[in-house]
Amino acid sequence: MAKVLPAAPFEGANENLAATTAPQDVSREDAATFDVLRKMREDILCCVLKPDQKLKFGELRQRYDTSVGTLREALSHLVSEGLARTESGRGFQVSPISLADFLDLSELRVYLETKTLADAIRHGTDAWEAEIVSSYFLLSKLAAPRQDDPLSVKQEWGKRHKRYHDALVATCRSPWSLHYRSELFDQARRYHWLTMIHSRLHRRNEHIEIRDAVLARDSDRACSLLEQHIRTTVEQAVTDVPGLMRGNARVLKPGTRRKS
Amino acid sequence: MAKVLPAAPFEGANENLAATTAPQDVSREDAATFDVLRKMREDILCCVLKPDQKLKFGELRQRYDTSVGTLREALSHLVSEGLARTESGRGFQVSPISLADFLDLSELRVYLETKTLADAIRHGTDAWEAEIVSSYFLLSKLAAPRQDDPLSVKQEWGKRHKRYHDALVATCRSPWSLHYRSELFDQARRYHWLTMIHSRLHRRNEHIEIRDAVLARDSDRACSLLEQHIRTTVEQAVTDVPGLMRGNARVLKPGTRRKS
DNA sequence: CAGTTCAATATTTTCGAAAGTTTCGAAAAT
DNA sequence: ATTTTCGAAACTTTCGAAAATATTGAACTG
């Protein structure tokens, strides 16, 4: 599989809002503690760390080769992103998933994705268009993964998929909307992962339709396509992910035992 | 000043969505580390820790009487809430404020506050109404503070103000919307604080108007009033907070020096 | 005098050990 | 047979010391 440059936001993506107050995107930090955070987040999003799973310091220390203090900091971060929970004295666990949650976050996503996309189109630049073309190209080189593809292919697809969707809205001028959009996109990735694992449904190429509408600066059509894109994914998950509707979805192997 | 019971959400506020995935509200946790977090957050919101101020471990350790590890965890949390920033190797600082930021977050607040309020009205219960009446009563006992009121009065008013606005939307069924609404409300509190310190403008009693519209289940009127409430606050800040428009607002005393 | 270098100082980051809780299961009591 | 009590084991939380990194300022150079 061809290597891809790290998703570096193109120059001037947000130059007129350089010093903003909205929460920091941690993905550019290079300290060890952020490294652990990034790895753990990816593991949760890809259900390597499964929903409801207890996160014990002993195990995590081995897995990520770091100290409790560093781990604690990373876990704390994940809690505020909503990917983990904690009860004082009882440690941490991966956040549960549920149909209600997926519906709720998807509804908010529809609003934030369309709002940021409309604004991005309004303020689009040549560099923005270029990154959309480029990130779409990279995404299209990888067919949407099926359940029997190896983990690494699925993960690479996930990265490119995110990079493409980030590119679409990159010139939006509202840092707060962008921040929450990004957080919710990650949340949705957990459910997408489950869908990817279970579904055999073939979807038409929605990404290229969105791309073309965006490049044509047809805001209404682009937003409407993006909204459908999100809603279709929800429906697909409802239909294909076993247990999600009954509230006891399991990931790969039977998850950790739950109380009564 | 009369003491007030801690703002305990009334029973059954969210009973049908007990186990949700949305980020945890940390205000109910009782561990030492959350104590520090709560105190630091309050200090930032009330500009005791001023925008752009460098947060040194030495000083913080004294002020909050705790260890570096615990501090680090709290600071890390504040970063993901957007109240602090960090650059690896260079420690932490309080997030800057700016007019652009206030405008941006207020715009998103209008959407989230009205959306959550409409849903809360739709699903309101007797207990919800009771908490609105009660929290409004407590708020009305304290006149909106002026610049020469002591810090403790301003802080108590801030608490009651938040409790009242939380009560309004408590029965909203969307945990994610509620979570982001709450985060943005806190963000806005920093600007409200600055306004409170500088403004002499007398505002009509908007809170009682909102309360009555909500209790009458007049969703349209309530949302419209709430929207005005937010917008008026922005205008007041723009007019009365010196330096906010020029991008160099200072808090009380000249802030810490900035580079070039 | 402006710009560099380098050592001294200040500050942040990482770590593992000590203290404090919770959980689990065996033994005692009902 | 079920519940309660108690103590050992597992785990979490807190802490401050050690390592790593950034900043400051004095001495030096062009």
Side-chain angles (χ1 to χ4, degrees):
Chain A
M1 179 185 0
K3 257 226 169 158
V4 171
L5 291 170
F10 54 85
E11 197 148 3
N14 245 331
E15 62 190 311
N16 48 357
L17 280 171
T20 183
T21 306
Q24 269 181 304
D25 179 9
V26 132
S27 59
R28 283 179 225 168
E29 293 285 338
D30 56 341
T33 179
F34 292 113
D35 231 46
V36 175
L37 173 58
R38 263 194 299 274
K39 281 183 198 153
M40 280 188 59
R41 176 160 43 205
E42 209 56 30
D43 285 344
I44 292 177
L45 294 182
C46 296
C47 299
V48 174
L49 300 173
K50 307 186 191 89
D52 293 307
Q53 181 178 335
K54 180 115 213 292
L55 296 166
K56 294 185 203 173
F57 284 90
E59 292 171 16
L60 296 179
R61 225 159 89 66
Q62 278 196 300
R63 174 183 258 273
Y64 301 104
D65 187 35
T66 186
S67 70
V68 277
T70 305
L71 270 175
R72 204 149 219 294
E73 202 180 318
L75 283 165
S76 173
H77 228 292
L78 289 170
V79 168
S80 35
E81 284 174 36
L83 291 170
R85 356 208 66 212
T86 176
E87 214 172 329
S88 92
R90 256 158 244 194
F92 296 78
Q93 69 183 95
V94 179
S95 284
I97 57 172
S98 70
L99 179 60
D101 177 61
F102 191 35
L103 291 175
D104 180 29
L105 76 89
S106 296
E107 213 47 52
L108 200 45
R109 276 193 71 209
V110 166
Y111 174 77
L112 286 173
E113 290 280 359
T114 54
K115 178 192 151 105
T116 50
L117 181 60
D119 197 57
I121 290 174
R122 209 169 299 129
H123 300 104
T125 60
D126 285 353
W128 165 73
E129 293 183 358
E131 169 66 10
I132 291 174
V133 170
S134 152
S135 61
Y136 173 76
F137 174 80
L138 288 170
L139 178 62
S140 67
K141 293 272 274 192
L142 248 45
R146 300 317 195 79
Q147 52 191 113
D148 36 332
D149 285 325
L151 184 74
S152 63
V153 169
K154 289 185 186 127
Q155 285 184 330
E156 183 60 26
W157 187 87
K159 270 188 201 142
R160 298 189 188 188
H161 186 234
K162 179 167 174 61
R163 180 172 169 184
Y164 167 72
H165 277 281
D166 282 351
L168 291 176
V169 298
T171 48
C172 169
R173 303 277 259 296
S174 164
W176 280 102
S177 302
L178 280 178
H179 172 70
Y180 289 142
R181 184 211 74 92
S182 169
E183 248 183 46
L184 287 178
F185 187 91
D186 275 349
Q187 286 291 333
R189 278 175 72 189
R190 288 210 298 170
Y191 295 93
H192 293 168
W193 189 265
L194 292 177
T195 308
M196 196 150 72
I197 285 176
H198 292 105
S199 182
R200 292 202 165 279
L201 183 70
H202 183 72
R203 290 174 65 165
R204 75 175 199 286
N205 193 339
E206 295 161 43
H207 291 126
I208 200 172
E209 293 175 24
I210 295 170
R211 186 200 71 174
D212 291 339
V214 168
L215 291 181
R217 308 279 177 133
D218 185 343
S219 187
D220 288 347
R221 179 169 156 76
C223 288
S224 154
L225 285 170
L226 188 52
E227 176 171 348
Q228 272 177 45
H229 184 58
I230 296 170
R231 294 199 193 282
T232 306
T233 308
V234 174
E235 278 160 34
Q236 195 181 357
V238 169
T239 317
D240 294 352
V241 178
L244 187 57
M245 295 218 40
R246 296 191 315 279
N248 60 345
R250 286 283 182 269
V251 183
L252 305 170
K253 294 165 195 169
T256 45
R257 209 171 300 136
R258 275 187 235 182
K259 283 176 191 171
S260 59
Chain B
M1 182 183 1
K3 257 228 168 155
V4 171
L5 288 170
F10 53 84
E11 197 148 2
N14 244 330
E15 61 190 310
N16 48 357
L17 278 171
T20 182
T21 305
Q24 268 181 304
D25 180 10
V26 130
S27 60
R28 283 181 225 167
E29 292 286 337
D30 55 341
T33 180
F34 291 113
D35 232 46
V36 175
L37 172 59
R38 263 193 300 272
K39 280 182 197 153
M40 280 188 58
R41 178 162 37 207
E42 208 56 31
D43 285 343
I44 291 178
L45 294 183
C46 296
C47 299
V48 173
L49 301 172
K50 307 188 191 87
D52 293 307
Q53 181 179 336
K54 180 118 216 294
L55 296 166
K56 294 187 202 172
F57 284 90
E59 294 170 16
L60 296 178
R61 219 160 147 271
Q62 276 196 301
R63 176 183 257 272
Y64 301 105
D65 187 36
T66 186
S67 70
V68 278
T70 305
L71 269 175
R72 204 148 218 296
E73 202 181 319
L75 283 166
S76 174
H77 229 292
L78 288 170
V79 168
S80 36
E81 285 173 35
L83 291 171
R85 355 209 68 214
T86 176
E87 213 173 329
S88 91
R90 255 157 244 195
F92 296 79
Q93 69 182 102
V94 179
S95 284
I97 57 172
S98 70
L99 179 61
D101 177 60
F102 191 35
L103 291 175
D104 180 30
L105 78 87
S106 296
E107 212 47 51
L108 201 46
R109 276 193 71 208
V110 167
Y111 174 76
L112 286 173
E113 289 280 359
T114 54
K115 180 193 149 108
T116 49
L117 181 60
D119 198 56
I121 290 174
R122 209 168 300 128
H123 300 104
T125 60
D126 286 353
W128 165 73
E129 293 183 358
E131 170 66 9
I132 291 174
V133 170
S134 150
S135 61
Y136 173 77
F137 174 80
L138 288 169
L139 177 62
S140 67
K141 292 271 274 191
L142 248 43
R146 301 317 194 78
Q147 51 191 112
D148 37 330
D149 285 325
L151 183 76
S152 63
V153 169
K154 289 184 186 128
Q155 285 184 329
E156 183 61 27
W157 187 86
K159 268 187 202 144
R160 297 190 189 187
H161 186 233
K162 180 168 172 60
R163 181 172 168 184
Y164 168 72
H165 277 281
D166 282 352
L168 290 176
V169 298
T171 48
C172 168
R173 304 277 260 294
S174 165
W176 280 103
S177 303
L178 280 178
H179 172 69
Y180 289 143
R181 185 211 74 91
S182 168
E183 248 182 46
L184 287 178
F185 187 90
D186 275 349
Q187 286 290 334
R189 278 175 72 188
R190 288 210 299 168
Y191 295 94
H192 294 169
W193 189 264
L194 292 177
T195 308
M196 198 150 70
I197 285 175
H198 292 106
S199 182
R200 293 200 166 281
L201 183 73
H202 184 73
R203 291 174 64 166
R204 73 176 201 284
N205 194 339
E206 295 161 44
H207 291 126
I208 201 172
E209 293 175 26
I210 295 170
R211 185 200 71 176
D212 291 339
V214 168
L215 292 181
R217 308 278 177 133
D218 185 343
S219 187
D220 288 347
R221 178 168 158 75
C223 288
S224 156
L225 285 170
L226 188 53
E227 177 172 347
Q228 271 177 45
H229 184 58
I230 294 171
R231 294 199 192 282
T232 307
T233 308
V234 174
E235 279 160 34
Q236 193 181 356
V238 169
T239 317
D240 295 350
V241 178
L244 186 56
M245 295 219 40
R246 296 191 314 281
N248 60 345
R250 287 283 181 269
V251 184
L252 305 172
K253 294 165 196 169
T256 45
R257 211 171 299 138
R258 274 188 236 181
K259 283 179 189 171
S260 61

